[in-house]
Amino acid sequence: MYLKCALSVCAVALCAILGIAGSDPDPSADPPAVLRLVDIVLECSLVEEGGGRLSMFASAFSRQPATLVLRKVGVPEHETLDSYTEYQPPPFDPEALIFEVEVTSASIPGAESLLHADCNEQEVTCEISQYYPQDEVPETAWFICSLQVEGGGVSATMVMRTQPITGEVGMEPQKQKKLDLPLSDSGTIQLAAQFNVFTSMPSVSTALGGAVLLDCGFTGEQHIQEVQVEWRVQHKGNGRRVLHFRSDTNEGVSDRPGAQIDSARLAAHRNASLFLPGFRVADEGTYICIVTAGPYQAQQVIQVQVQEPPSVNLVPEALQLQEGVTERLSCEINKYYPLDVQVVWTQSPSSSPSSSPSSPPPSHLPHIYFSSHRQHSDGTYSLSAYVLVNPSTCDAGTTFTCSVSHPSLSEPLTASLTLTLPEESRLWLILGVSMATLIFIFAAYKLVLQWNKGTVAKKGQLKNIKVN
Ligand SMILES: *[C@@H]1O[C@H](CO)[C@@H](O)[C@H](O)[C@H]1NC(C)=O
């Protein structure tokens, strides 16, 4: 099974149970989980500028297939890795691009999602390009690699530098043809990860008004002290800074009310996550976490979308049809975001207890009329979707249902209305009630009359007594 997958995962021989607690920047954090060190092999591209020197129409970048071998990646011990085999480099080929990376000093938390990706049929995007840090180191080449698991999982950007090749004494190591870099005996370019910026949530969706925590962290050499974090947001071609923080002066500037990073968490856990309270439609966009640590800089991109579910109700709430009159039944879909909403109107016949199970299923109403979208000041939208209802096409007891689908909803929201009795039977009811009332009044009137007669008689008697 595993061997069929496009990227193969190889456990280090015998899968020794090894903790890498020693490389954890803060041992006072959660107790270090027992990690197993494995190799992860990914299909990558080497992306270079200026691919089309000869043609002005060629793209500005060229791509070449490459292989990335991440050595000794810590994954939680419970991962079942028994079926993995050790990575076998292909026969020596100075044309091949195989990057073999030691990641112990800049680990990739959550790297196990790379292990699962291929068998979950998720694509892994892996791009390697040359990198130029602030401080040039002689005889050293640098690369930056961005890794992303499609549809969630970890996203990481790793800065890597070449490692000296120790070959046999007096023997010049062979060089990679394209990059002119010395190759190891197994034909790989040997790199060590120096710095890694990552997020566990490359895309986030949130309802309006809530607080959002955008995850961003980094790992790297122990001695990195000076750290600067900048958060930016890009939306519809406009970019702006959200926050800037520097650890040496412990100073932060927030350009968006309430935006914060926790400086203690940054210092202790290298956690640069951004806290944004009261999220608005205007906050939506592509967030970029840029971490500068010592000579290195790398960034992570997090897509943040608002998903606000609509409220759905019908106007009017009750409907009574009259012969020859067409009524408008409107489904009011209010205050949702984003714009894409789908509305279906159905009609199902009266469901009297006598109706057989073979009664026809709800039918879709073919003609739905839409208002234009109305946008509220908070950025949300409202829409009305109405149908015209006519007594000639439906009976009393017919139920009309409006169902609304929206990206924020796992299943459609519905609102229904059942037609009340038609006018005819209604008239009989009114007539009956009126009759009963009349009879009651009549009876009461009679009673009063009778009682009055009695009183008059008594008065007469009294008079008679006086006269006597
Ligand atoms: C940063 O801290 C928050 C809050 O404790 C946590 O949810 C998040 O996973 C942390 N992220 C990193 C990258 O350490």
Side-chain angles (χ1 to χ4, degrees), residues 416-439:
S416 304
L417 176 150
T418 302
L419 288 186
T420 50
L421 298 174
E423 197 59 8
E424 261 186 331
S425 13
R426 186 89 178 171
L427 252 178
W428 281 115
L429 187 72
I430 292 168
L431 222 71
V433 171
S434 320
M435 287 286 279
T437 316
L438 273 175
I439 289 166

Short mmCIF file of all heavy atoms in Angstrom, two decimals, residues 416-439:
data_model
loop_
_atom_site.label_atom_id
_atom_site.label_comp_id
_atom_site.label_asym_id
_atom_site.label_seq_id
_atom_site.Cartn_x
_atom_site.Cartn_y
_atom_site.Cartn_z
N SER A 416 -40.50 26.92 6.28
CA SER A 416 -41.67 26.38 5.59
C SER A 416 -42.93 27.10 6.01
O SER A 416 -43.00 27.68 7.10
CB SER A 416 -41.87 24.91 5.92
OG SER A 416 -40.74 24.19 5.61
N LEU A 417 -43.89 26.99 5.13
CA LEU A 417 -45.19 27.58 5.41
C LEU A 417 -46.25 26.67 4.80
O LEU A 417 -46.10 26.18 3.68
CB LEU A 417 -45.22 28.97 4.75
CG LEU A 417 -46.48 29.80 4.79
CD1 LEU A 417 -46.09 31.25 4.79
CD2 LEU A 417 -47.38 29.50 3.65
N THR A 418 -47.31 26.40 5.57
CA THR A 418 -48.41 25.58 5.07
C THR A 418 -49.60 26.49 4.83
O THR A 418 -49.96 27.28 5.71
CB THR A 418 -48.75 24.47 6.07
OG1 THR A 418 -47.56 23.72 6.28
CG2 THR A 418 -49.84 23.57 5.55
N LEU A 419 -50.19 26.39 3.67
CA LEU A 419 -51.33 27.25 3.35
C LEU A 419 -52.48 26.94 4.28
O LEU A 419 -52.80 25.78 4.53
CB LEU A 419 -51.78 26.99 1.91
CG LEU A 419 -50.87 27.50 0.80
CD1 LEU A 419 -51.56 27.29 -0.54
CD2 LEU A 419 -50.56 28.96 1.00
N THR A 420 -53.15 27.98 4.79
CA THR A 420 -54.31 27.75 5.65
C THR A 420 -55.51 27.46 4.78
O THR A 420 -55.44 27.52 3.55
CB THR A 420 -54.57 28.98 6.53
OG1 THR A 420 -54.58 30.11 5.68
CG2 THR A 420 -53.50 29.12 7.59
N LEU A 421 -56.65 27.17 5.46
CA LEU A 421 -57.86 26.79 4.73
C LEU A 421 -58.21 27.86 3.70
O LEU A 421 -58.09 29.04 3.98
CB LEU A 421 -59.02 26.66 5.72
CG LEU A 421 -58.86 25.59 6.77
CD1 LEU A 421 -60.01 25.67 7.76
CD2 LEU A 421 -58.82 24.23 6.12
N PRO A 422 -58.67 27.42 2.55
CA PRO A 422 -59.06 28.43 1.57
C PRO A 422 -60.30 29.20 2.04
O PRO A 422 -60.98 28.76 2.97
CB PRO A 422 -59.34 27.60 0.31
CG PRO A 422 -59.56 26.22 0.80
CD PRO A 422 -58.81 26.07 2.07
N GLU A 423 -60.59 30.27 1.38
CA GLU A 423 -61.62 31.22 1.79
C GLU A 423 -62.99 30.56 2.03
O GLU A 423 -63.66 30.86 3.00
CB GLU A 423 -61.73 32.30 0.73
CG GLU A 423 -62.43 33.55 1.20
CD GLU A 423 -61.74 34.20 2.38
OE1 GLU A 423 -60.63 33.78 2.77
OE2 GLU A 423 -62.33 35.13 2.93
N GLU A 424 -63.41 29.62 1.18
CA GLU A 424 -64.74 29.01 1.27
C GLU A 424 -65.02 28.43 2.64
O GLU A 424 -65.95 28.85 3.31
CB GLU A 424 -64.83 27.87 0.25
CG GLU A 424 -65.52 28.27 -1.03
CD GLU A 424 -65.70 27.06 -1.92
OE1 GLU A 424 -64.88 26.13 -1.85
OE2 GLU A 424 -66.68 27.04 -2.66
N SER A 425 -64.19 27.49 3.07
CA SER A 425 -64.43 26.83 4.34
C SER A 425 -64.27 27.84 5.47
O SER A 425 -64.93 27.75 6.50
CB SER A 425 -63.48 25.66 4.53
OG SER A 425 -62.46 25.71 3.60
N ARG A 426 -63.44 28.80 5.25
CA ARG A 426 -63.22 29.86 6.23
C ARG A 426 -64.55 30.59 6.46
O ARG A 426 -64.93 30.90 7.58
CB ARG A 426 -62.16 30.79 5.63
CG ARG A 426 -61.71 31.87 6.55
CD ARG A 426 -60.55 31.39 7.37
NE ARG A 426 -60.11 32.48 8.21
CZ ARG A 426 -59.23 32.32 9.15
NH1 ARG A 426 -58.69 31.16 9.37
NH2 ARG A 426 -58.88 33.36 9.90
N LEU A 427 -65.27 30.83 5.35
CA LEU A 427 -66.55 31.55 5.43
C LEU A 427 -67.53 30.78 6.31
O LEU A 427 -68.21 31.34 7.16
CB LEU A 427 -67.15 31.69 4.04
CG LEU A 427 -67.10 33.10 3.44
CD1 LEU A 427 -67.67 33.11 2.04
CD2 LEU A 427 -67.83 34.08 4.36
N TRP A 428 -67.55 29.44 6.09
CA TRP A 428 -68.46 28.61 6.89
C TRP A 428 -68.12 28.73 8.36
O TRP A 428 -69.00 28.83 9.19
CB TRP A 428 -68.36 27.14 6.46
CG TRP A 428 -69.16 26.89 5.21
CD1 TRP A 428 -68.69 26.53 4.00
CD2 TRP A 428 -70.58 27.02 5.09
NE1 TRP A 428 -69.70 26.44 3.11
CE2 TRP A 428 -70.90 26.73 3.74
CE3 TRP A 428 -71.61 27.36 5.98
CZ2 TRP A 428 -72.20 26.77 3.26
CZ3 TRP A 428 -72.90 27.38 5.48
CH2 TRP A 428 -73.19 27.09 4.15
N LEU A 429 -66.84 28.77 8.65
CA LEU A 429 -66.41 28.87 10.04
C LEU A 429 -66.91 30.19 10.62
O LEU A 429 -67.53 30.22 11.69
CB LEU A 429 -64.88 28.81 10.10
CG LEU A 429 -64.32 28.73 11.51
CD1 LEU A 429 -64.58 27.34 12.10
CD2 LEU A 429 -62.81 29.00 11.50
N ILE A 430 -66.71 31.28 9.89
CA ILE A 430 -67.14 32.60 10.36
C ILE A 430 -68.65 32.60 10.57
O ILE A 430 -69.17 33.06 11.58
CB ILE A 430 -66.70 33.69 9.36
CG1 ILE A 430 -65.17 33.81 9.36
CG2 ILE A 430 -67.35 35.03 9.69
CD1 ILE A 430 -64.62 34.62 8.21
N LEU A 431 -69.35 31.98 9.59
CA LEU A 431 -70.81 31.92 9.66
C LEU A 431 -71.25 31.17 10.91
O LEU A 431 -72.11 31.63 11.65
CB LEU A 431 -71.34 31.20 8.41
CG LEU A 431 -72.57 31.85 7.79
CD1 LEU A 431 -72.18 33.16 7.13
CD2 LEU A 431 -73.21 30.90 6.79
N GLY A 432 -70.60 30.03 11.17
CA GLY A 432 -70.94 29.20 12.33
C GLY A 432 -70.73 29.97 13.61
O GLY A 432 -71.63 30.03 14.47
N VAL A 433 -69.60 30.62 13.70
CA VAL A 433 -69.29 31.37 14.92
C VAL A 433 -70.30 32.49 15.09
O VAL A 433 -70.83 32.72 16.18
CB VAL A 433 -67.83 31.92 14.86
CG1 VAL A 433 -67.56 32.88 15.99
CG2 VAL A 433 -66.84 30.76 14.89
N SER A 434 -70.64 33.16 14.01
CA SER A 434 -71.59 34.27 14.09
C SER A 434 -72.95 33.76 14.54
O SER A 434 -73.61 34.37 15.39
CB SER A 434 -71.76 34.96 12.74
OG SER A 434 -70.52 35.06 12.11
N MET A 435 -73.36 32.62 13.97
CA MET A 435 -74.65 32.03 14.35
C MET A 435 -74.68 31.75 15.85
O MET A 435 -75.61 32.11 16.55
CB MET A 435 -74.88 30.71 13.59
CG MET A 435 -75.20 30.89 12.12
SD MET A 435 -76.86 31.47 11.86
CE MET A 435 -77.76 29.93 12.00
N ALA A 436 -73.64 31.11 16.33
CA ALA A 436 -73.57 30.74 17.74
C ALA A 436 -73.67 32.00 18.60
O ALA A 436 -74.40 32.04 19.59
CB ALA A 436 -72.28 30.00 18.02
N THR A 437 -72.96 33.04 18.17
CA THR A 437 -72.97 34.29 18.92
C THR A 437 -74.39 34.87 18.94
O THR A 437 -74.89 35.29 19.99
CB THR A 437 -72.01 35.31 18.27
OG1 THR A 437 -70.80 34.62 17.95
CG2 THR A 437 -71.71 36.47 19.18
N LEU A 438 -75.02 34.83 17.75
CA LEU A 438 -76.38 35.38 17.66
C LEU A 438 -77.32 34.65 18.61
O LEU A 438 -78.10 35.26 19.34
CB LEU A 438 -76.89 35.26 16.22
CG LEU A 438 -76.50 36.43 15.30
CD1 LEU A 438 -76.94 36.18 13.88
CD2 LEU A 438 -77.11 37.72 15.84
N ILE A 439 -77.23 33.30 18.57
CA ILE A 439 -78.11 32.49 19.42
C ILE A 439 -77.88 32.84 20.88
O ILE A 439 -78.82 33.04 21.65
CB ILE A 439 -77.88 30.99 19.16
CG1 ILE A 439 -78.43 30.63 17.77
CG2 ILE A 439 -78.53 30.12 20.24
CD1 ILE A 439 -77.98 29.28 17.25
#
